[in-house]
PDB file of all heavy atoms in Angstrom:
ATOM      1  N   CYS A 494     112.131  95.384 121.814  1.00 89.00           N
ATOM      2  CA  CYS A 494     112.139  94.682 120.561  1.00 89.00           C
ATOM      3  C   CYS A 494     112.580  93.323 120.727  1.00 89.00           C
ATOM      4  O   CYS A 494     113.483  92.902 121.473  1.00 89.00           O
ATOM      5  CB  CYS A 494     113.256  95.494 119.751  1.00 89.00           C
ATOM      6  SG  CYS A 494     113.548  94.713 118.116  1.00 89.00           S
ATOM      7  N   SER A 495     111.795  92.444 119.958  1.00 91.00           N
ATOM      8  CA  SER A 495     112.144  90.920 119.915  1.00 91.00           C
ATOM      9  C   SER A 495     112.685  90.700 118.512  1.00 91.00           C
ATOM     10  O   SER A 495     112.055  90.936 117.496  1.00 91.00           O
ATOM     11  CB  SER A 495     110.867  90.235 120.360  1.00 91.00           C
ATOM     12  OG  SER A 495     110.506  90.454 121.617  1.00 91.00           O
ATOM     13  N   ILE A 496     113.756  89.871 118.557  1.00 92.00           N
ATOM     14  CA  ILE A 496     114.423  89.477 117.263  1.00 92.00           C
ATOM     15  C   ILE A 496     114.583  88.028 117.262  1.00 92.00           C
ATOM     16  O   ILE A 496     114.992  87.510 118.257  1.00 92.00           O
ATOM     17  CB  ILE A 496     115.701  90.154 117.058  1.00 92.00           C
ATOM     18  CG1 ILE A 496     115.548  91.729 116.995  1.00 92.00           C
ATOM     19  CG2 ILE A 496     116.383  89.612 115.663  1.00 92.00           C
ATOM     20  CD1 ILE A 496     116.899  92.435 116.884  1.00 92.00           C
ATOM     21  N   SER A 497     114.088  87.292 116.293  1.00 93.00           N
ATOM     22  CA  SER A 497     114.247  85.795 116.282  1.00 93.00           C
ATOM     23  C   SER A 497     114.878  85.475 114.822  1.00 93.00           C
ATOM     24  O   SER A 497     114.596  86.177 113.785  1.00 93.00           O
ATOM     25  CB  SER A 497     112.865  85.171 116.358  1.00 93.00           C
ATOM     26  OG  SER A 497     112.080  85.494 115.260  1.00 93.00           O
ATOM     27  N   ILE A 498     115.757  84.500 114.773  1.00 93.00           N
ATOM     28  CA  ILE A 498     116.349  83.927 113.559  1.00 93.00           C
ATOM     29  C   ILE A 498     115.920  82.511 113.508  1.00 93.00           C
ATOM     30  O   ILE A 498     116.283  81.686 114.376  1.00 93.00           O
ATOM     31  CB  ILE A 498     117.846  84.027 113.729  1.00 93.00           C
ATOM     32  CG1 ILE A 498     118.337  85.577 113.825  1.00 93.00           C
ATOM     33  CG2 ILE A 498     118.465  83.408 112.315  1.00 93.00           C
ATOM     34  CD1 ILE A 498     119.726  85.719 113.955  1.00 93.00           C
ATOM     35  N   THR A 499     115.121  82.188 112.476  1.00 93.00           N
ATOM     36  CA  THR A 499     114.674  80.807 112.286  1.00 93.00           C
ATOM     37  C   THR A 499     114.944  80.344 110.933  1.00 93.00           C
ATOM     38  O   THR A 499     115.256  81.081 110.013  1.00 93.00           O
ATOM     39  CB  THR A 499     113.118  80.741 112.534  1.00 93.00           C
ATOM     40  OG1 THR A 499     112.503  81.647 111.500  1.00 93.00           O
ATOM     41  CG2 THR A 499     112.690  81.274 113.877  1.00 93.00           C
ATOM     42  N   SER A 500     114.822  78.963 110.700  1.00 91.00           N
ATOM     43  CA  SER A 500     115.078  78.444 109.431  1.00 91.00           C
ATOM     44  C   SER A 500     113.949  77.491 109.077  1.00 91.00           C
ATOM     45  O   SER A 500     113.232  77.017 110.002  1.00 91.00           O
ATOM     46  CB  SER A 500     116.451  77.533 109.395  1.00 91.00           C
ATOM     47  OG  SER A 500     116.177  76.421 110.297  1.00 91.00           O
ATOM     48  N   GLN A 501     113.897  77.425 107.702  1.00 90.00           N
ATOM     49  CA  GLN A 501     112.629  76.414 107.152  1.00 90.00           C
ATOM     50  C   GLN A 501     113.214  75.702 105.927  1.00 90.00           C
ATOM     51  O   GLN A 501     113.764  76.404 105.125  1.00 90.00           O
ATOM     52  CB  GLN A 501     111.440  77.264 106.825  1.00 90.00           C
ATOM     53  CG  GLN A 501     110.280  76.276 106.275  1.00 90.00           C
ATOM     54  CD  GLN A 501     109.110  77.104 105.934  1.00 90.00           C
ATOM     55  OE1 GLN A 501     109.189  78.425 106.168  1.00 90.00           O
ATOM     56  NE2 GLN A 501     108.136  76.486 105.474  1.00 90.00           N
ATOM     57  N   LEU A 502     113.118  74.434 105.846  1.00 89.00           N
ATOM     58  CA  LEU A 502     113.559  73.649 104.653  1.00 89.00           C
ATOM     59  C   LEU A 502     112.375  73.060 103.905  1.00 89.00           C
ATOM     60  O   LEU A 502     111.511  72.414 104.522  1.00 89.00           O
ATOM     61  CB  LEU A 502     114.327  72.451 105.119  1.00 89.00           C
ATOM     62  CG  LEU A 502     114.990  71.523 104.007  1.00 89.00           C
ATOM     63  CD1 LEU A 502     115.859  72.401 103.135  1.00 89.00           C
ATOM     64  CD2 LEU A 502     115.793  70.403 104.607  1.00 89.00           C
ATOM     65  N   LYS A 503     112.239  73.519 102.705  1.00 88.00           N
ATOM     66  CA  LYS A 503     111.053  73.067 101.829  1.00 88.00           C
ATOM     67  C   LYS A 503     111.513  72.870 100.371  1.00 88.00           C
ATOM     68  O   LYS A 503     112.095  73.826  99.804  1.00 88.00           O
ATOM     69  CB  LYS A 503     109.879  74.096 101.913  1.00 88.00           C
ATOM     70  CG  LYS A 503     108.736  73.605 101.136  1.00 88.00           C
ATOM     71  CD  LYS A 503     107.591  74.660 101.380  1.00 88.00           C
ATOM     72  CE  LYS A 503     106.366  74.195 100.637  1.00 88.00           C
ATOM     73  NZ  LYS A 503     105.220  75.215 100.702  1.00 88.00           N
ATOM     74  N   ASP A 504     111.286  71.568  99.800  1.00 86.00           N
ATOM     75  CA  ASP A 504     111.581  71.413  98.467  1.00 86.00           C
ATOM     76  C   ASP A 504     113.127  71.751  98.085  1.00 86.00           C
ATOM     77  O   ASP A 504     113.305  72.429  97.106  1.00 86.00           O
ATOM     78  CB  ASP A 504     110.603  72.106  97.457  1.00 86.00           C
ATOM     79  CG  ASP A 504     109.259  71.738  97.655  1.00 86.00           C
ATOM     80  OD1 ASP A 504     109.050  70.625  98.071  1.00 86.00           O
ATOM     81  OD2 ASP A 504     108.378  72.538  97.443  1.00 86.00           O
ATOM     82  N   SER A 505     114.046  71.225  98.968  1.00 88.00           N
ATOM     83  CA  SER A 505     115.474  71.590  98.745  1.00 88.00           C
ATOM     84  C   SER A 505     115.872  72.961  98.738  1.00 88.00           C
ATOM     85  O   SER A 505     116.919  73.372  98.064  1.00 88.00           O
ATOM     86  CB  SER A 505     115.992  70.813  97.408  1.00 88.00           C
ATOM     87  OG  SER A 505     115.770  69.479  97.560  1.00 88.00           O
ATOM     88  N   VAL A 506     115.052  73.829  99.351  1.00 91.00           N
ATOM     89  CA  VAL A 506     115.403  75.276  99.498  1.00 91.00           C
ATOM     90  C   VAL A 506     115.413  75.678 100.941  1.00 91.00           C
ATOM     91  O   VAL A 506     114.469  75.362 101.592  1.00 91.00           O
ATOM     92  CB  VAL A 506     114.381  76.120  98.682  1.00 91.00           C
ATOM     93  CG1 VAL A 506     114.682  77.552  98.980  1.00 91.00           C
ATOM     94  CG2 VAL A 506     114.415  75.876  97.168  1.00 91.00           C
ATOM     95  N   LEU A 507     116.504  76.131 101.392  1.00 91.00           N
ATOM     96  CA  LEU A 507     116.617  76.499 102.769  1.00 91.00           C
ATOM     97  C   LEU A 507     116.317  78.017 102.909  1.00 91.00           C
ATOM     98  O   LEU A 507     116.923  78.911 102.197  1.00 91.00           O
ATOM     99  CB  LEU A 507     118.069  76.309 103.338  1.00 91.00           C
ATOM    100  CG  LEU A 507     118.357  76.822 104.818  1.00 91.00           C
ATOM    101  CD1 LEU A 507     117.499  76.107 105.741  1.00 91.00           C
ATOM    102  CD2 LEU A 507     119.812  76.674 105.041  1.00 91.00           C
ATOM    103  N   SER A 508     115.286  78.454 103.732  1.00 93.00           N
ATOM    104  CA  SER A 508     114.974  79.750 103.956  1.00 93.00           C
ATOM    105  C   SER A 508     115.293  80.091 105.462  1.00 93.00           C
ATOM    106  O   SER A 508     115.120  79.355 106.405  1.00 93.00           O
ATOM    107  CB  SER A 508     113.443  80.018 103.875  1.00 93.00           C
ATOM    108  OG  SER A 508     113.063  79.606 102.468  1.00 93.00           O
ATOM    109  N   ILE A 509     115.864  81.156 105.599  1.00 94.00           N
ATOM    110  CA  ILE A 509     116.395  81.691 106.927  1.00 94.00           C
ATOM    111  C   ILE A 509     115.544  83.068 107.050  1.00 94.00           C
ATOM    112  O   ILE A 509     115.729  84.056 106.302  1.00 94.00           O
ATOM    113  CB  ILE A 509     117.875  81.927 107.096  1.00 94.00           C
ATOM    114  CG1 ILE A 509     118.553  80.554 106.790  1.00 94.00           C
ATOM    115  CG2 ILE A 509     118.257  82.498 108.399  1.00 94.00           C
ATOM    116  CD1 ILE A 509     120.141  80.515 106.892  1.00 94.00           C
TER     117      ILE A 509
END
Side-chain angles (χ1 to χ4, degrees):
C494 176
S495 295
I496 299 175
S497 65
I498 302 174
T499 60
S500 64
Q501 180 182 358
L502 180 61
K503 184 178 181 182
D504 298 332
S505 298
V506 175
L507 175 64
S508 298
I509 300 175

